[in-house]
Amino acid sequence: MKTSNPALGENTFRDVAGTRAASYIDAASRMTLSGTVNKTGILLLCAMASAAWTWHRFMVTYDIGAVAPLLMLGAIGGLVCAMVTIFKKEWAAFTSPIYALLEGLVLGGISAMTNMRYPGIAIQAVGLTFGTLFVLLFLYSSRIIRVTQKFRMGVVAATGGIMVFYLVQMLLGFFGIRFMAVNGSGALGIGISLFICAIAALNLVLDFDFIERGVNYGAPKYMEWYGAFGIMVTLIWLYLEILRLLSKMRSRD
């Protein structure tokens, strides 16, 4: 099994389940699909609550300085919390809600600033993100989309390429080199954003597959929180990419 989501890496659930034989784990202490869904809902509420707070702070003052410390706290704290969660999965019940709250600070600030420039864009991005989530969940649960080895390899390779591209952009940016055509609102920039959004969305399918396999392996209960955390990582990436795509499209008007 492979997924490009770093939170749900190869053999994640198999290794955890293997620490204690499934036959020795009480049924009530095992990971369930419904439990993971419920915990994903909790994390979404945490992220939306902190995002609403940051949004409100910016909209009251329209001053980037009012939310800049929160954005920094959310970005750095969220990264640290994510790394802790990945390496200490048994802490996921505590670290994943903190991660969601911290990332919500970032999402709220970025959304508010973007929405000030393009009114209504934030709600459009939210709608498209959740719409994509539910459509892909339906397609996966009805087996219209099947996760084959070729499918996994294709999505993993594409995601890896995107991450390398992001890293190269960031490093070259320190030397004043910008990819204007790629990041601009031209046909190439919009096309690349569409491609990245599609890959981010397909990562959700891989996440669904891994969670289902975790349930089948008889992973311990705390892995419900970890599975929900993995879904959140992908959803946040998807939302930001959709927001970026919509910004490019709106700037052409």
Side-chain angles (χ1 to χ4, degrees):
M1 300 188 301
K2 289 185 178 181
T3 177
S4 45
N5 187 334
L8 302 179
E10 186 173 5
N11 295 326
T12 295
F13 291 113
R14 181 183 299 160
D15 292 343
V16 173
T19 59
R20 290 190 297 172
S23 58
Y24 292 102
I25 302 178
D26 183 80
S29 301
R30 296 182 186 180
M31 178 183 184
T32 65
L33 187 59
S34 60
T36 306
V37 171
N38 292 337
K39 290 170 176 61
T40 302
I42 293 173
L43 297 188
L44 285 171
L45 289 175
C46 289
M48 287 189 290
S50 57
W53 182 53
T54 311
W55 174 288
H56 176 72
R57 283 180 62 89
F58 179 78
M59 288 302 178
V60 168
T61 62
Y62 290 100
D63 179 15
I64 297 178
V67 296
L70 296 177
L71 291 175
M72 187 67 68
L73 172 64
I76 297 176
L79 177 61
V80 171
C81 197
M83 297 305 296
V84 171
T85 306
I86 290 171
F87 288 104
K88 297 293 291 186
K89 300 174 182 62
E90 61 272 21
W91 294 0
F94 305 100
T95 57
S96 56
I98 297 174
Y99 168 81
L101 288 169
L102 289 169
E103 288 299 319
L105 297 177
V106 178
L107 296 178
I110 292 176
S111 299
M113 288 185 284
T114 307
N115 196 77
M116 182 179 67
R117 184 174 182 182
Y118 306 111
I121 195 173
I123 191 64
Q124 293 174 355
V126 170
L128 286 172
T129 301
F130 281 102
T132 301
L133 170 66
F134 293 132
V135 168
L136 288 175
L137 182 58
F138 169 76
L139 294 176
Y140 176 78
S141 61
S142 60
R143 299 307 186 216
I144 295 175
I145 293 180
R146 296 182 180 275
V147 180
T148 64
Q149 187 61 25
K150 289 184 178 180
F151 180 90
R152 293 190 191 99
M153 290 178 63
V155 175
V156 168
T159 306
I162 292 170
M163 295 302 115
V164 170
F165 176 69
Y166 283 159
L167 180 60
V168 170
Q169 274 202 109
M170 182 180 67
L171 293 176
L172 292 179
F174 291 123
F175 300 97
I177 301 175
R178 301 286 188 270
F179 295 86
M180 300 305 297
V182 172
N183 296 309
S185 58
L188 178 61
I190 290 177
I192 290 176
S193 284
L194 281 169
F195 173 75
I196 294 175
C197 286
I199 297 302
L202 290 178
N203 270 273
L204 284 172
V205 178
L206 296 189
D207 295 343
F208 298 152
D209 179 63
F210 264 77
I211 290 171
E212 184 177 30
R213 288 171 183 264
V215 173
N216 294 336
Y217 286 143
K221 196 72 173 176
Y222 66 80
M223 290 300 289
E224 293 178 351
W225 283 105
Y226 190 75
F229 163 72
I231 291 288
M232 282 296 299
V233 170
T234 304
L235 279 178
I236 289 169
W237 178 34
L238 177 60
Y239 171 77
L240 291 174
E241 292 298 342
I242 289 177
L243 189 65
R244 187 181 185 191
L245 171 62
L246 293 176
S247 297
K248 291 182 179 181
M249 297 176 69
R250 291 281 290 271
S251 67
R252 293 170 63 92
D253 297 340

